[in-house]
Amino acid sequence: MVDCLLCESRHKSIFCSLENGELLELTQNKGCSIIRKKQNIFKEGFYPHGLYCLHSGKVKLYQMAENGREQIVRLAKAGDVLGYRALLSGEQYTSTAEAIEESTVCFIPKDAIMKLIEKNSSLALNIMRLLSGDLRKAESKITDLAQKPVKERMAEVLLVLKEIYGFEEDNQTIAVTLTREEISNIAGTATETSIRILAEFKDSGLIQFDGKKIKVPDLKKLLVAANVHD
Amino acid sequence: MVDCLLCESRHKSIFCSLENGELLELTQNKGCSIIRKKQNIFKEGFYPHGLYCLHSGKVKLYQMAENGREQIVRLAKAGDVLGYRALLSGEQYTSTAEAIEESTVCFIPKDAIMKLIEKNSSLALNIMRLLSGDLRKAESKITDLAQKPVKERMAEVLLVLKEIYGFEEDNQTIAVTLTREEISNIAGTATETSIRILAEFKDSGLIQFDGKKIKVPDLKKLLVAANVHD
DNA sequence: GCAAAAACATGATGGCTGTCATGTTTGCTT
DNA sequence: AAGCAAACATGACAGCCATCATGTTTTTGC
């Protein structure tokens, strides 16, 4: 069992404003479990009974489309919370959370988290900020999907992956391992297309392959390829 | 000046849980103005100084894409609030709010609304629910844009318009007037394409044109065309 | 009410990108 | 270590849909 007071992510998470007493209460109320790669934390269509907090690992949130293809709508790393969208709106989960590498997650029952939100208005504000940020990213993705060609979207996906998971110690290897299919399911394109475009990026020196990982020697070049100006 | 206590939307809005004292304070602090068609309430890139509450009228929120085309990301009707995403995250507006018909809008200064949020946890919860709902819609739109053909998306746009603005008294005319270009900017397609598809829908009896408005004699048919199963 | 602009409409064309097919490589499982 | 499945890769092909062009209708501003 992980102690919230000792959690490394504590100060970077939505719980950064909690007092020790509140954190202690959290620790006493929560559960903790190991999620292996490809296992689900929650599934689309089910009702939420609490909030998940990702202590370590990496998770993808995806929606299953009519045609059977996954659309990845969010990615989570250590310190991120999961399942708040459905929990707060009182709806079913609209996406499935699946570990893309072995992860540990804590589960905070609905009662406990809702009480905390009511008492602690700065936690409430943090959650609003979180949702607002998610909404900004989602809406910007809508615009991209509607207006940008696949190649630009692919470059942007790499930039997003770097934003979320950062580089490894070498300062140029994106610190996450995804299959080409998963990358396609972020970009919103066919697997073959993403394979082709990544190969093209490699040939033009934009990126390099390092096993399953992707190296970005020059971020600026990627920014140009993604056609983003800010 | 509109009195919040007398506002018709009061009980359907995020302010439904406010006490009379709080509403009075709101009324005293707020401003009120008329926004003519095609005028902006706020513009992408600017910093928010408060929250807008749409007392009457209809508003589109759009992002300007690199190629100069607008992507409509949200639509608002009387009773809806505007500008909360940027206000709560402390970021610049990421979309422009433009009246699609003459509207009246109240402005609540940042201080006033933030104090209310801190005091009234059920207002805070309502805002979280609002954001969660927006996020659900946005993510579902991402999946649609990535996976569905234009024709299905167009049908879905009509369903969404009906959801938001409802039918007129005849129970089949969608109660909003949009140009073909605006409809395209919701669906994420070229204007010519949306014109063609709407004409096709008309020819196959899915919809009828009533001036600039669109009539839907049979919602179920549209649901089938949109390929939604829930 | 008239001119100009915006909106609507329709045809032709081409390219992007999804799909299908096939083969190779990688990585698990027993 | 062999065998099998998943992942990666590449070519061929077609079709959806954006773009361009052009013309008509409707709306707007003076």
Side-chain angles (χ1 to χ4, degrees), chain B residues 154-155 158 161 168 170 172-174 176-181 183 191-218 222:
Chain B
M154 280 294 296
L158 297 179
L161 291 177
E168 295 183 349
D170 67 357
Q172 54 177 5
T173 303
I174 297 175
V176 66
T177 301
L178 295 168
T179 66
R180 298 288 189 264
E181 188 176 7
I183 293 178
T191 309
E192 295 91 329
T193 303
S194 87
I195 288 173
R196 271 185 261 261
I197 290 178
L198 285 178
E200 203 178 310
F201 283 176
K202 194 191 69 175
D203 292 344
S204 61
L206 266 179
I207 61 173
Q208 292 159 245
F209 296 159
D210 181 10
K212 278 185 94 75
K213 298 213 171 158
I214 292 173
K215 282 174 116 169
V216 183
D218 189 353
L222 253 195

Side-chain angles (χ1 to χ4, degrees), chain A residues 63 74 85 132 139 143, chain B residues 63 74 85 132 139 143:
Chain A
Q63 296 186 335
R74 259 179 286 161
R85 203 216 57 76
S132 297
E139 290 181 341
T143 303
Chain B
Q63 297 186 336
R74 258 179 286 162
R85 202 218 57 77
S132 296
E139 290 181 341
T143 303

Side-chain angles (χ1 to χ4, degrees), chain B residues 19-33:
Chain B
E19 295 161 21
N20 286 357
E22 292 171 318
L23 283 166
L24 187 65
E25 217 183 296
L26 257 195
T27 303
Q28 287 167 343
N29 277 309
K30 74 169 185 173
C32 210
S33 51

Side-chain angles (χ1 to χ4, degrees), chain A residues 32-58:
Chain A
C32 209
S33 52
I34 294 173
I35 312 290
R36 284 177 217 298
K37 188 171 172 173
K38 295 191 180 177
Q39 282 190 330
N40 292 336
I41 297 174
F42 54 75
K43 286 183 82 170
E44 201 171 344
F46 288 80
Y47 278 97
H49 297 296
L51 188 71
Y52 296 91
C53 192
L54 192 59
H55 180 254
S56 71
K58 299 184 176 71

Side-chain angles (χ1 to χ4, degrees), chain A:
Chain A
M1 170 66 73
V2 183
D3 186 340
C4 295
L5 276 153
L6 303 175
C7 181
E8 280 188 25
S9 306
R10 178 185 151 189
H11 299 290
K12 299 178 288 183
S13 81
I14 58 166
F15 298 114
C16 59
S17 61
L18 263 55
E19 296 162 19
N20 286 357
E22 293 171 317
L23 284 166
L24 186 66
E25 216 182 297
L26 258 194
T27 304
Q28 285 166 346
N29 278 309
K30 74 170 185 173
C32 209
S33 52
I34 294 173
I35 312 290
R36 284 177 217 298
K37 188 171 172 173
K38 295 191 180 177
Q39 282 190 330
N40 292 336
I41 297 174
F42 54 75
K43 286 183 82 170
E44 201 171 344
F46 288 80
Y47 278 97
H49 297 296
L51 188 71
Y52 296 91
C53 192
L54 192 59
H55 180 254
S56 71
K58 299 184 176 71
V59 169
K60 64 174 173 182
L61 275 85
Y62 63 84
Q63 296 186 335
M64 195 57 82
E66 290 297 331
N67 56 15
R69 287 249 318 272
E70 296 176 5
Q71 178 64 41
I72 295 180
V73 292
R74 259 179 286 161
L75 290 163
K77 61 176 184 299
D80 288 343
V81 284
L82 293 168
Y84 48 93
R85 203 216 57 76
L87 184 73
L88 290 166
S89 65
E91 300 164 338
Q92 303 158 28
Y93 289 118
T94 48
S95 58
T96 298
E98 179 186 321
I100 52 181
E101 60 181 52
E102 181 155 317
S103 304
T104 56
V105 304
C106 301
F107 175 80
I108 307 164
K110 184 169 180 174
D111 282 358
I113 190 71
M114 294 314 272
K115 269 182 203 158
L116 257 185
I117 291 174
E118 247 178 76
K119 272 195 307 188
N120 190 320
S121 72
S122 97
L123 170 61
L125 264 177
N126 279 338
I127 292 176
M128 288 184 229
R129 270 191 276 267
L130 178 61
L131 284 164
S132 297
D134 289 344
L135 186 56
R136 173 178 58 72
K137 288 174 205 155
E139 290 181 341
S140 136
K141 179 139 197 173
I142 287 172
T143 303
D144 286 352
L145 276 168
Q147 317 269 9
K148 285 190 173 185
V150 181
K151 210 181 288 186
E152 293 180 18
R153 299 209 307 269
M154 279 294 297
E156 213 160 356
V157 166
L158 297 179
L159 290 169
V160 168
L161 291 177
K162 186 264 164 184
E163 264 327 289
I164 298 176
Y165 296 115
F167 283 143
E168 296 184 348
E169 310 74 45
D170 67 358
N171 221 35
Q172 55 177 2
T173 303
I174 297 175
V176 67
T177 302
L178 295 168
T179 66
R180 298 289 189 265
E181 188 177 5
E182 283 169 326
I183 293 178
S184 318
N185 294 343
I186 304 173
T189 189
T191 308
E192 296 91 329
T193 303
S194 86
I195 288 173
R196 270 185 261 263
I197 291 178
L198 284 179
E200 202 178 310
F201 282 177
K202 194 190 72 173
D203 291 345
S204 61
L206 266 180
I207 61 173
Q208 295 162 9
F209 296 160
D210 181 10
K212 280 186 93 74
K213 299 215 169 155
I214 292 172
K215 283 173 112 169
V216 183
D218 189 353
L219 260 184
K220 285 177 198 159
K221 285 187 187 168
L222 253 194
L223 282 166
V224 172
N227 194 20
V228 286
H229 311 291
D230 47 18

